[in-house]
Amino acid sequence: MPIPCDQNPITLASYLDGELPPDQIPAMHEHIATCPQCASEIAELTSLKSSLRAARGHHTPTLEFRKKLQQQIAPPRRPRPNMLRFIPVALALAAMLLLAFTWTQHSRRQDAFSEVADLHVNALASTNPLDVISTDRHTVKPWFQGRIPFSFNVPELTGSEFTLLGGRVVYLHQQPGAQLIVAMRQHKISVLIFQASSGQALPFPVSTEASGHNAFTVETWQSNGLRFLVIGDVDATEIERLAQSLKQANS
Amino acid sequence: MEPEFFEQLAMPLFDQLYNLAHWLTGDRADAEDLVQETYAKSLKGFRSFQQGTNLRAWMYRILRNTFHTSRTGLAAQNTSSIEEEEAQGTSVTAHTITPELLLLQQEGQQTVLDALAALPVAYREIILLSEVEEFSYREIAQILDVPIGTVMSRLSRARTALRRPQKANMLERSIDADTL
Ligand SMILES: [Zn+2]
């Protein structure tokens, strides 16, 4: 008869769920290695876990339902009033062509914008958004060396309304770049820096002035082969002020 | 905060929330209603949503509470028997390799999924939150509004039930005959 084991099955499950306090893990390893009962219990729980993986994504929503829900949470903006109807036909045609062109440009920018906005939102939503946590620009700059194929200068923000929180490496279209997170009162602002000319051009808006975009304001410019983007949910004037200090540091 | 910001944060959860809703309700139409109501409530509450709060756990909590107050949810739950059992603290026998279990392993995933679908809702939801959604015990405690100790014991019971189909049937005594 094997010696009965007094190990609590809930503790065993906690161990498998990664919920056991770290200091108890070595003892648990040792116990499982010498206790056939617990070893088989662990094996069964593991097999159950792997079977249950099939329950992930088992039910998928229909495309219609996705569209319906998306409309519900983000109602489409109202179409502009039709000003074309009083204009003579030829002129109207020309206007429509121009409108189509502008619209294409607009939607292309929209796409580029949402990718950048995604990087910003991901950093805010992440529980551990920063690879390097530092309020000191002299720590942040060398940290990026060797991680991204270019270097840039971080402006001195001490004494301003902006506080550098840290940075992380991000990817946009497979290109590595730097993301700095800057705090301003309760708001967070992302500064994204990518190489401007490396093969395919990044489809960023070309404009240099800040453009308001629903929840976010973004300002972007190019300088010394680098593309800078500043994005956040603060006023355009504040984005502009932060952009100015970055421009000065990298001119 | 703006609806656009909510959309960017909440839409990535859509597929997962739907999957959970369908597992809970067992029905496409009910799952769609549940997800729709969850998003409506979340959007409404988003303005008061505190930065730094766990948005994912928060939305799951809304979905779960909405389910339990819905017609389907009320029909499916059997709160009294869960509380009774947990108060009794009947210990779960571990270290059992039964012929049924061996058979279960051989029949593979489908059997486990069928057993999952047949579990009483309180056990089904905790298995889904832990094994499928991979929430931590602390997060599950928040979502279900119960102490962590209850999370651990209920989860343990749910696993035992899944490993022994006849035990699942026992727990299921309150469920209508049509699911049997
Ligand atoms: Zn043991």
Side-chain angles (χ1 to χ4, degrees):
Chain A
M1 277 291 282
I3 307 151
C5 168
D6 62 349
Q7 190 71 60
N8 185 342
I10 289 179
T11 313
L12 277 182
S14 303
Y15 163 75
L16 266 194
D17 289 335
E19 297 270 356
L20 210 59
D23 58 325
Q24 292 180 27
I25 293 174
M28 182 58 89
H29 279 306
E30 210 171 300
H31 178 80
I32 295 165
T34 55
C35 173
Q37 291 163 334
C38 284
S40 98
E41 173 78 2
I42 288 282
E44 283 176 33
L45 284 172
T46 308
S47 136
L48 179 65
K49 260 185 187 295
S50 75
S51 299
L52 282 167
R53 217 160 284 148
R56 274 176 218 174
H58 188 72
H59 301 294
T60 49
T62 63
L63 196 62
E64 295 80 63
F65 179 50
R66 175 186 285 275
K67 282 183 187 156
K68 187 179 163 194
L69 190 95
Q70 217 143 13
Q71 267 169 12
Q72 179 192 327
I73 62 170
R77 271 168 295 262
R78 232 159 255 170
R80 291 170 191 198
N82 185 2
M83 295 174 294
L84 298 180
R85 81 195 129 132
F86 302 115
I87 304 172
V89 177
L91 205 61
L93 210 66
M96 267 159 74
L97 282 171
L98 184 67
L99 200 68
F101 175 74
T102 320
W103 188 81
T104 317
Q105 291 292 96
H106 175 75
S107 66
R108 200 180 291 164
R109 284 183 194 188
Q110 195 94 349
D111 289 346
F113 173 80
S114 45
E115 285 178 61
V116 170
D118 280 350
L119 288 176
H120 179 59
V121 168
N122 285 345
L124 299 191
S126 166
T127 46
N128 190 17
L130 300 168
D131 292 333
V132 53
I133 298 169
S134 176
T135 54
D136 179 8
R137 62 184 176 132
H138 301 295
T139 323
V140 170
K141 193 188 168 185
W143 183 85
F144 277 107
Q145 276 165 15
R147 290 182 166 89
I148 51 171
F150 57 87
S151 74
F152 58 92
N153 293 320
V154 184
E156 178 62 78
L157 296 173
T158 318
S160 75
E161 70 264 60
F162 303 108
T163 313
L164 179 64
L165 297 182
R168 62 178 195 160
V169 175
V170 285
Y171 290 86
L172 192 67
H173 303 172
Q174 281 83 50
Q175 289 191 42
Q179 179 171 25
L180 303 175
I181 310 286
V182 176
M184 198 209 135
R185 295 193 305 271
Q186 299 305 313
H187 304 276
K188 299 238 172 38
I189 304 167
S190 285
V191 176
L192 293 150
I193 308 160
F194 294 93
Q195 255 170 331
S197 52
S198 53
Q200 83 271 43
L202 293 171
F204 291 134
V206 204
S207 74
T208 48
E209 79 271 20
S211 53
H213 206 294
N214 306 323
F216 297 123
T217 304
V218 62
E219 174 161 355
T220 177
W221 70 94
Q222 204 168 310
S223 155
N224 291 333
L226 296 181
R227 166 62 70 183
F228 291 79
L229 294 113
V230 182
I231 179 170
D233 63 341
V234 295
D235 286 346
T237 51
E238 284 146 346
I239 292 283
E240 168 67 21
R241 219 173 303 144
L242 179 58
Q244 277 305 329
S245 61
L246 278 150
K247 281 175 191 170
Q248 275 165 21
N250 290 280
S251 58
Chain B
M1 280 200 261
E2 299 295 320
E4 285 80 8
F5 196 55
F6 173 75
E7 186 190 356
Q8 293 187 53
L9 292 173
M11 271 319 281
L13 303 175
F14 176 66
D15 287 354
Q16 303 162 34
L17 285 166
Y18 177 83
N19 183 48
L20 179 74
H22 200 147
W23 273 113
L24 289 178
T25 59
D27 176 65
R28 181 170 291 279
D30 285 346
E32 289 186 354
D33 286 350
L34 178 54
V35 170
Q36 204 170 342
E37 208 177 328
T38 300
Y39 272 88
K41 284 183 182 168
S42 309
L43 179 60
K44 227 174 161 184
F46 192 62
R47 285 173 196 285
S48 57
F49 181 71
Q50 296 286 307
Q51 282 261 336
T53 310
N54 184 336
L55 176 95
R56 188 166 170 260
W58 180 67
M59 286 194 74
Y60 274 81
R61 187 183 158 103
I62 292 175
L63 185 140
R64 188 259 172 188
N65 289 345
T66 305
F67 170 68
H68 281 277
T69 49
S70 72
R71 191 176 39 81
T72 336
L74 288 171
Q77 73 187 301
N78 183 17
T79 318
S80 62
S81 92
I82 288 283
E83 280 167 358
E84 213 170 274
E85 261 185 79
E86 280 170 1
Q88 282 171 5
T90 41
S91 72
V92 171
T93 328
H95 306 321
T96 45
I97 299 183
T98 60
E100 293 82 12
L101 176 69
L102 289 175
L103 186 68
L104 183 70
Q105 285 174 340
Q106 282 157 17
E107 287 176 26
Q109 285 175 345
Q110 194 50 51
T111 318
V112 175
L113 294 186
D114 290 346
L116 177 66
L119 271 186
V121 70
Y123 294 103
R124 205 186 324 146
E125 70 180 3
I126 204 161
I127 279 285
L128 289 163
L129 291 173
S130 172
E131 299 282 23
V132 176
E133 307 301 340
E134 295 189 312
F135 280 113
S136 68
Y137 289 175
R138 182 172 296 280
E139 287 169 320
I140 297 173
Q142 281 171 12
I143 293 168
L144 303 183
D145 202 16
V146 295
I148 287 189
T150 307
V151 171
M152 290 161 81
S153 60
R154 196 177 292 176
L155 190 55
S156 171
R157 262 161 223 287
R159 282 177 172 145
T160 308
L162 280 182
R163 287 156 70 189
R164 300 176 62 192
Q166 71 277 49
K167 171 98 178 182
N169 290 340
M170 255 168 57
L171 290 168
E172 208 181 17
R173 58 192 177 272
S174 64
I175 306 273
D176 293 338
D178 61 339
T179 57
L180 292 174

